[in-house]
Amino acid sequence: MHDTRLLRSGLAELLSKAQDMTVSTAPWKRAGRAARSTGADVCVADVDEGGTGDQRDLDVLRREIPTPSCRLLVLASPGRPGPLRQAFEAEALGFVNKDASPEELLTGIRQVAKGERFVDASLAFGFLQATQLPLTPRELSVLSLAAEGASVSEIARSLHLSNGTIRNYMSAITRKTGARNRVDAICIAQRSGWL
């Protein structure tokens, strides 16, 4: 699922040419409901474009799609280990590079539909980088919201946490990234591909 209608429609058109697939589309926020109502075997989601791009969005999507009958395949960028890690922790079964050929995507969808893991070889280094991330998924969520310009109180409301807890997370993020402050931590995370 992709929030940009033109891209979502184009991808659906491409996939619908496969004789063994029935394709439907929905924006990110309705993807889980759409997967349930259509009886989808695979939900394809762009982790770089969906929702606010944090672990919470992937967890909501994972809870909304009917398991084990529907499996999650994500489209990801190789230089962004943060979203790869978040998708893995949200139990995605397939990982396809957004630069992959249509045939590679179709292969991934078919393999995931059979319940088998599929990892595009070009994402392997990103997975290795993801194991080296110093931040926890929750810290990545906090930093992602901070990078969007959210204040401490806005982040706290969004994640259903207290302001003090968010300040503690920001302090840990700053320490773990070796940053001087919140803005520096965001810059480091963006340069490193964590966000």
Side-chain angles (χ1 to χ4, degrees), residues 51-122:
T52 61
D54 68 17
Q55 183 69 41
R56 204 167 25 99
D57 292 324
L58 282 167
D59 288 342
V60 168
L61 178 60
R62 183 70 239 162
R63 278 193 310 274
E64 287 182 352
I65 61 176
T67 54
S69 61
C70 184
R71 297 163 181 97
L72 180 61
L73 179 141
V74 298
L75 303 175
S77 299
R80 301 199 54 219
L84 281 173
R85 177 178 170 177
Q86 292 169 337
F88 180 79
E89 290 178 359
E91 300 176 5
L93 196 55
F95 302 85
V96 176
N97 186 339
K98 289 167 62 168
D99 239 358
S101 69
E103 293 77 25
E104 184 82 358
L105 176 57
L106 288 168
T107 299
I109 292 170
R110 288 179 180 117
Q111 198 163 323
V112 168
K114 292 189 283 186
E116 299 171 2
R117 181 164 307 280
F118 181 85
V119 179
D120 188 319
S122 65

Side-chain angles (χ1 to χ4, degrees), residues 2-193:
H2 199 290
D3 273 348
T4 307
R5 186 178 190 176
L6 182 61
L7 295 175
R8 191 174 66 241
S9 300
L11 183 59
E13 179 68 27
L14 177 76
L15 294 175
S16 67
K17 291 180 181 177
Q19 299 296 318
D20 60 338
M21 290 186 197
T22 302
V23 180
S24 65
T25 70
W28 183 272
K29 292 185 189 260
R30 292 197 313 257
R33 288 187 300 264
R36 260 196 327 274
S37 68
T38 61
D41 294 320
V42 178
C43 178
V44 177
D46 183 340
V47 294
D48 295 331
E49 298 298 327
T52 61
D54 68 17
Q55 183 69 41
R56 204 167 25 99
D57 292 324
L58 282 167
D59 288 342
V60 168
L61 178 60
R62 183 70 239 162
R63 278 193 310 274
E64 287 182 352
I65 61 176
T67 54
S69 61
C70 184
R71 297 163 181 97
L72 180 61
L73 179 141
V74 298
L75 303 175
S77 299
R80 301 199 54 219
L84 281 173
R85 177 178 170 177
Q86 292 169 337
F88 180 79
E89 290 178 359
E91 300 176 5
L93 196 55
F95 302 85
V96 176
N97 186 339
K98 289 167 62 168
D99 239 358
S101 69
E103 293 77 25
E104 184 82 358
L105 176 57
L106 288 168
T107 299
I109 292 170
R110 288 179 180 117
Q111 198 163 323
V112 168
K114 292 189 283 186
E116 299 171 2
R117 181 164 307 280
F118 181 85
V119 179
D120 188 319
S122 65
L123 296 176
F125 185 68
F127 271 107
L128 289 174
Q129 288 177 308
T131 64
Q132 303 301 313
L133 284 177
L135 304 178
T136 66
R138 176 61 88 184
E139 290 166 343
L140 284 171
S141 293
V142 168
L143 193 57
S144 175
L145 291 169
E148 293 173 5
S151 67
V152 167
S153 61
E154 290 169 334
I155 296 169
R157 271 193 308 278
S158 177
L159 298 177
H160 307 288
L161 299 170
S162 72
N163 288 357
T165 300
I166 298 304
R167 281 192 290 276
N168 288 341
Y169 276 124
M170 288 307 302
S171 177
I173 290 165
T174 302
R175 185 182 72 256
K176 287 179 175 183
T177 60
R180 295 180 309 257
N181 55 40
R182 170 183 173 153
V183 173
D184 194 28
I186 292 167
C187 290
I188 290 168
Q190 288 174 334
R191 272 194 316 268
S192 301

